[in-house]
Amino acid sequence: MKHVLITGATSGIGKDLAYVCLQHGYMPILTGRNQEKLIDTQRILQNELGKNPPIFHLDLLHTKQIKESIDNILSYYEVDVLINNAGYGKFSPLSECSVEHLQGMFQVNMIGLSLVTQTVLPKMVERKCGHIINIASLAGKMATANASIYAASKHAVLGFTNALRLELHKENILVTSVNLGPVATSFFQTADASGQYEQRMQKYMLNSKVVATRIVSLIGKKKRELNLPYWMGIGARCYQLCPVLVERILGRYMYLK
């Protein structure tokens, strides 16, 4: 049975990833910063699926604890698949973005993700087998107003993922990025406490369970990236080719945050 290490497994996509992994015969290893929520997730999975996946505390905001936490997991389990799902966002104009939120977004979205990957990787290289799936964002390809730091952190994740894929191409280790548009989760309670963005984007919101199912379907497949929803992925690709034209056409949609 493959073991799938999931960061940010206390709610939203991470919680659904755990559920779908169990449905597909994988054993998820659940990590998160909130121990009580991890226990709740474990209890729900036990009640609904009769499985009791392991849980480990992992707080990506504390750099010094990351390697220690991952090494502890590796002392018990082989990690066949790593899904770097944990994310942090705060939407605001740059002039109103606090140092705490700026550092937090880069710490969780990029630095924490990199350190978890760096710690898990040697065992994968040793076995010449593994899959790393990084949950990025279409914001990393097509930035919008009031999300400059969040977009920058996700752009960094995409650069990291693409470079890592090249580094590991001879090691038989797969590396995939999943670039998401808005997903209906509690993420927006922190990202936009006013609720205005979530309300404006309601009809475009992806279902978390559907997203988790698509992500789990990638395991073991040599796929460079997955863009969801598909049409937003096309828009992001067009933006990279013709940014001025796309901004003119989609201008009003780039100011919804």
Side-chain angles (χ1 to χ4, degrees):
M1 176 182 289
K2 286 187 177 180
H3 291 94
V4 182
L5 174 58
I6 303 169
T7 66
T10 55
S11 62
I13 297 172
K15 189 174 181 179
D16 287 333
L17 281 169
Y19 193 97
V20 176
C21 277
L22 287 170
Q23 287 182 317
H24 284 71
Y26 304 126
M27 177 54 72
I29 301 169
L30 313 184
T31 70
R33 60 184 298 196
N34 189 314
Q35 189 73 13
E36 290 183 5
K37 288 185 177 181
L38 279 175
I39 294 171
D40 286 342
T41 298
Q42 185 186 52
R43 185 182 299 115
I44 290 170
L45 295 172
Q46 172 67 44
N47 292 339
E48 295 187 13
L49 298 177
K51 303 290 185 179
N52 195 36
I55 59 174
F56 291 89
H57 180 261
L58 174 63
D59 189 349
L60 298 184
L61 284 170
H62 292 87
T63 300
K64 293 181 180 180
Q65 297 175 8
I66 293 174
K67 187 177 187 303
E68 180 181 336
S69 297
I70 298 300
D71 280 341
N72 182 41
I73 293 171
L74 293 174
S75 70
Y76 291 97
Y77 301 100
E78 281 190 351
V79 174
D80 302 290
V81 181
L82 168 62
I83 303 181
N84 281 307
N85 165 74
Y88 173 35
K90 184 66 176 178
F91 300 153
S92 69
L94 180 61
S95 60
E96 299 175 14
C97 183
S98 67
V99 173
E100 178 187 3
H101 286 139
L102 188 157
Q103 292 177 330
M105 280 184 268
F106 269 93
Q107 175 64 39
V108 173
N109 297 346
M110 183 60 219
I111 297 173
L113 177 149
S114 301
L115 292 175
V116 170
T117 304
Q118 185 183 52
T119 310
V120 167
L121 199 52
K123 292 291 185 180
M124 288 186 174
V125 172
E126 186 179 300
R127 299 194 307 268
K128 297 290 183 181
C129 182
H131 195 165
I132 298 165
I133 300 175
N134 292 331
I135 309 303
S137 171
L138 286 168
K141 292 190 172 189
M142 186 166 66
T144 56
N146 299 326
S148 56
I149 303 302
Y150 178 73
S153 70
K154 290 300 187 178
H155 185 77
V157 172
L158 287 173
F160 170 83
T161 305
N162 291 332
L164 187 65
R165 185 184 301 109
L166 296 174
E167 290 179 19
L168 298 175
H169 80 284
K170 293 183 179 179
E171 304 293 347
N172 197 39
I173 297 171
L174 304 175
V175 182
T176 303
S177 66
V178 177
N179 310 311
L180 300 175
V183 183
T185 68
S186 59
F187 170 84
F188 294 104
Q189 293 175 9
T190 299
D192 177 31
S194 72
Q196 292 181 7
Y197 177 71
E198 189 172 11
Q199 186 175 19
R200 290 167 183 163
M201 297 298 291
Q202 193 66 48
K203 64 181 179 180
Y204 303 113
M205 289 278 182
L206 295 165
N207 179 277
S208 180
K209 182 64 72 68
V210 172
V211 169
T213 301
R214 293 292 304 275
I215 294 170
V216 172
S217 73
L218 296 172
I219 292 176
K221 295 180 181 176
K222 191 175 182 179
K223 189 171 180 65
R224 179 186 180 87
E225 66 177 18
L226 172 66
N227 297 306
L228 293 174
Y230 179 74
W231 62 271
M232 278 191 183
I234 294 176
R237 186 167 298 178
C238 292
Y239 182 71
Q240 291 171 322
L241 295 172
C242 310
V244 175
L245 178 61
V246 173
E247 285 180 6
R248 286 177 179 173
I249 296 173
L250 300 178
R252 67 188 183 93
Y253 293 104
M254 304 181 83
Y255 291 89
L256 292 178
K257 286 189 175 69

